[in-house]
Structure formats: C-alpha cells, structure tokens
Amino acid sequence: MYVVIKTRNQNNEVLFVSAYLVGSEVFLRMTQGNILYEFSKYAVILFLILGMYYKGFSKNAVPFWFYLLLLLPGVLVSTETLNLTADLRTTISFNISGPVCLGVAAIYNYNREISLEHLNNMLLTLALPILSTTVYLIFFTPELKTILVSTASNPAASGGFGPNQVATLLGIGMFIFFSRLIFESKSKLILIVNLLILFNITYRGLVTFSRGGMMTGFVMIIILLLFIYKNTASKGRYKLNMLFAFVLFLFALTWLYTSSQTGGLIDKRYANQDATGKVKESNFTGREEIWDSEIAAFEDHPVFGIGVGKGLEIREELTGGLIVVSHNEITRTLAEHGTMGIMALVIVLLTPMILYLDNKQNMYMFCFLIFWLLTINHAAMRIAAPAFVYSLSLLKVFMNEEPSLHRK
C-alpha cells in the first residue's frame, strides 16, 4: 500500500503488488500465514481499484462492466434459495470472489499499455513466491518412498495442503521460468540458474500427483513455442529446432528422474492407472458426478440459475452432509448463474481474441488465456491466479521503449 500510494501507480506498481500476492497465495495458505482465507483475492481487488483511482481505466472496458452485472442476478437469487442455516456472506463470497476478482483485474488491464520487458519483470514478481513454495516443499516433504502408496494426488508431497492448488501454482511457475530460460538468460550463469529452478519446480509439481496444474503448464509452454516458431524467419528456425530438441530432452530427463524417485507410480498416475497398473474407471477422479448434477441444475433453472453457493448446499443434502466442492467453474457458472452465466463466460473467452487482432505483440496472450480456461476446468477459481493471469491477456504489449500510442 505504501509503495503504490508513494509512486501514485506511475509504472503500474499495482500489477507488481498484485502479482506478488497471487504468487504467494498458496504458500501463505499452506503455512497458515493469511489474515483471511480469501485474503489474496480481496487484496488484489483492492490494489487494482486503487490503481484505477491513480491511473484510470479504458472507457472501452464496457464488456467487463457488463460481465460483473451479469453475476449480480445469481447473487440475488442465492439470498432467496440458500437455507436459513447457511452463513450467507461466507457462502456467497467463497463462490463469487474469484469471478469478481477477474472482472476487476480485466477492467484495470483492458488495453493498458505495457512494455514486454515490464511484463517479464512482473511475471518474475509472480514467480518468485512460487520459488519460495518450492524451497518449502524441498525442506518439508518427507522421503517420497515413505508417503507414496497409491497414484492418488498426495497432500503429504504438497506441503500438507491441497495438491490441486499447489500444482496449479507450480505449473504457472514452471511456465514463467521456462520463458525466462528462453528470453532472459543473458549469461551462462543465469541460464544455469534458470535451468535449476525450472527442474526443481517441475519435479516438485509432478510429485504432487495432481495432473491438472502441470498439464496446464506444459500446454502453455507448447503454445509459447509454437508462437515463437510461427513468428521466426525461416533462417532462424534451425536454431529454434535445436531449442525444441533441448527442451524435449530437458523434460524427458526430469520425467525419468521423477519416475525413478516415485518407483514408477508417476507413469501410472498419468496413464490413469492405480498402483497395481489397473486402469481406473474414472478419468477425472469422480468429478463427472458433480458436473452431471450442475448440468441438471442448469436444465431446471436455465435463466437465472439456482443461486451462488446453492450447488454446494444441494450436494451436501444429497450426500448426507458430505461437503463436495465444485472443481469446474464452467458447470458451476451454468448451474448457479444460468443463461446470465453463459453470457459472462462468452465475454471472458472472446474479448482477448478480439483484442489480439490489434495486439499481435502480446506473445503470451494465448498462454494466459489457456491457463485460465484449463485451470477453471480442474480447480475452479478457488485461488486468485486464474483471474489475475487471465487479465494479463488483455494488456497491450509493445516491444519499443515508447508505447505505439506515442509514435508519430
């Protein structure tokens, strides 16, 4: 707060502060260091609103004002549908804080001009707390052979916290340090440092046995490499092919090391097998049943939905008191917001693609968008990362020292 007020957000300091909060969220949760469980989302919203106060926002960000308005009917419906025994504020805020964080971040970043160098530095600010998380896991994870008894995701290998959320942050950390390996390794020493960090983050992410976050990180890396390849002249593609081969070798080496440390269980995990090698009946650890219940709720209440947080309540009643939280933000939005939710999702999905037509220099745009899309399909929006990282796809990136707006 002091930094932002002192600088009056002249160089988008709120983005650096927000990125640091996003990167540290899971680490603070696993070490009980948060003031509130949803502290990071609230803080990101607060800082970005403060940033708007100092530097304004684009008048063309109307789609995301409309997006926030589309969330309102679901909140109003929930005040009528939630049981009297429910803590109304907590139930609603738990489910709506992620989408609201996305809306506010999108309004702030909509067509906001930023240099590629500034963006890379900001991503490093996000990644450094993830490095802290990795170091914490190195020191506090027991010997793997003593805790790995199945191919299920393992809290003991993820700092005693939810493997899904830990792997999500490690996946984005892996991507960021991979991008720095390519673009920011200006000496052999920095190259070696980035390689060591990348290896450790990838290894620690794999041994959580949570697939979603790591697969998302790998897809982001592939998209970035394809973008580089497409925008590289034919003469430079030989070196790029060598880079591809090196990257493939690096990740193959990491996988082989992980496989040896886990006694081959990681191979079975990603092949959807149990410890005995038998293929599991479900590819999504039973989440299909949650999806089905949310689709059914949407069919019963197609216009305004069943209300924010009501899905959790319905599943609790059906399972006799068992709390089953939705992992999929898309089906949750359909169930709890109805058609309004569909319109909101369409806005979020299409807007970055439309802006990209006039902003081809944002090489990370599709990476950020796919991170949001894949993450909300396996981890919903329980952490601030998908909301904040998505909003970065709306930035207007320039390579020059001065923004394109100031060209004559």
Side-chain angles (χ1 to χ4, degrees), residues 9-234:
N9 195 36
Q10 287 300 312
N11 293 302
N12 289 310
E13 281 78 10
V14 292
L15 283 182
F16 283 81
V17 173
S18 298
Y20 191 79
L21 285 164
V22 168
S24 61
E25 182 175 15
V26 168
F27 182 59
L28 291 175
R29 282 185 180 181
M30 71 166 60
T31 56
Q32 290 80 50
N34 266 338
I35 301 169
L36 300 168
Y37 190 76
E38 300 286 353
F39 167 74
S40 293
K41 291 179 191 172
Y42 297 147
V44 168
I45 292 170
L46 172 66
F47 278 111
L48 292 176
I49 290 175
L50 187 61
M52 292 180 211
Y53 171 75
Y54 283 120
K55 296 288 285 184
F57 54 87
S58 173
K59 65 179 184 297
N60 295 320
V62 175
F64 290 99
W65 287 109
F66 188 51
Y67 164 82
L68 290 175
L69 286 175
L70 288 170
L71 300 177
L72 191 57
V75 175
L76 296 176
V77 170
S78 67
T79 61
E80 296 294 328
T81 58
L82 288 174
N83 292 337
L84 294 175
T85 55
D87 185 336
L88 203 63
R89 185 196 64 81
T90 303
T91 303
I92 293 175
S93 64
F94 177 78
N95 289 281
I96 205 69
S97 56
V100 170
C101 183
L102 184 148
V104 173
I107 290 169
Y108 180 84
N109 282 326
Y110 191 96
N111 251 347
R112 187 171 296 273
E113 293 185 329
I114 188 171
S115 69
L116 181 62
E117 181 184 6
H118 211 58
L119 178 58
N120 280 330
N121 288 337
M122 190 255 292
L123 289 175
L124 178 62
T125 308
L126 192 156
L128 288 174
I130 299 175
L131 175 58
S132 301
T133 307
T134 305
V135 174
Y136 179 85
L137 292 174
I138 291 170
F139 282 111
F140 289 94
T141 299
E143 188 178 351
L144 290 177
K145 293 178 182 178
T146 65
I147 59 174
L148 294 180
V149 293
S150 71
T151 58
S153 55
N154 198 324
S158 55
F161 193 66
N164 205 1
Q165 295 181 28
V166 174
T168 296
L169 260 294
L170 292 175
I172 186 69
M174 176 181 71
F175 167 77
I176 293 172
F177 279 105
F178 175 81
S179 69
R180 296 191 68 79
L181 184 70
I182 297 175
F183 301 121
E184 299 293 331
S185 297
K186 297 176 181 178
S187 69
K188 289 183 179 179
L189 176 62
I190 298 299
L191 177 69
I192 292 170
V193 169
N194 283 328
L195 274 173
L196 288 173
I197 293 173
L198 179 60
F199 170 80
N200 277 284
I201 289 180
T202 305
Y203 171 67
R204 284 294 152 188
L206 288 172
V207 298
T208 63
F209 277 68
S210 183
R211 295 170 293 184
M214 298 309 294
M215 291 174 72
T216 298
F218 282 117
V219 171
M220 292 173 73
I221 287 171
I222 291 170
I223 291 173
L224 179 62
L225 288 173
L226 290 174
F227 180 92
I228 297 170
Y229 195 83
K230 180 179 179 295
N231 290 276
T232 300
S234 55

Side-chain angles (χ1 to χ4, degrees), residues 224-327:
L224 179 62
L225 288 173
L226 290 174
F227 180 92
I228 297 170
Y229 195 83
K230 180 179 179 295
N231 290 276
T232 300
S234 55
K235 292 182 180 179
R237 288 186 175 178
Y238 172 75
K239 290 184 178 180
L240 205 54
N241 289 332
M242 296 298 291
L243 175 64
F244 286 175
F246 173 71
V247 169
L248 189 62
F249 172 76
L250 177 68
F251 282 116
L253 198 64
T254 307
W255 181 272
L256 291 172
Y257 178 77
T258 307
S259 181
S260 68
Q261 293 298 303
T262 60
L265 286 177
I266 194 67
D267 304 85
K268 294 176 180 178
R269 172 61 172 170
Y270 279 79
N272 197 42
Q273 300 172 353
D274 60 21
T276 63
K278 182 181 177 182
V279 177
K280 297 179 181 179
E281 292 183 8
S282 170
N283 288 319
F284 305 102
T285 58
R287 292 173 187 168
E288 299 96 328
E289 295 177 8
I290 303 175
W291 301 344
D292 291 341
S293 70
E294 289 174 330
I295 294 298
F298 169 70
E299 290 173 347
D300 292 337
H301 303 82
V303 182
F304 296 112
I306 57 177
V308 175
K310 186 62 179 177
L312 178 64
E313 204 172 75
I314 291 174
R315 288 190 294 275
E316 191 175 354
E317 292 170 357
L318 292 175
T319 56
L322 185 65
I323 298 175
V324 183
V325 182
S326 177
H327 288 77

Side-chain angles (χ1 to χ4, degrees), residues 329-340:
E329 190 69 18
I330 293 177
T331 55
R332 186 202 69 79
T333 302
L334 291 179
E336 298 183 2
H337 295 273
T339 305
M340 302 293 119

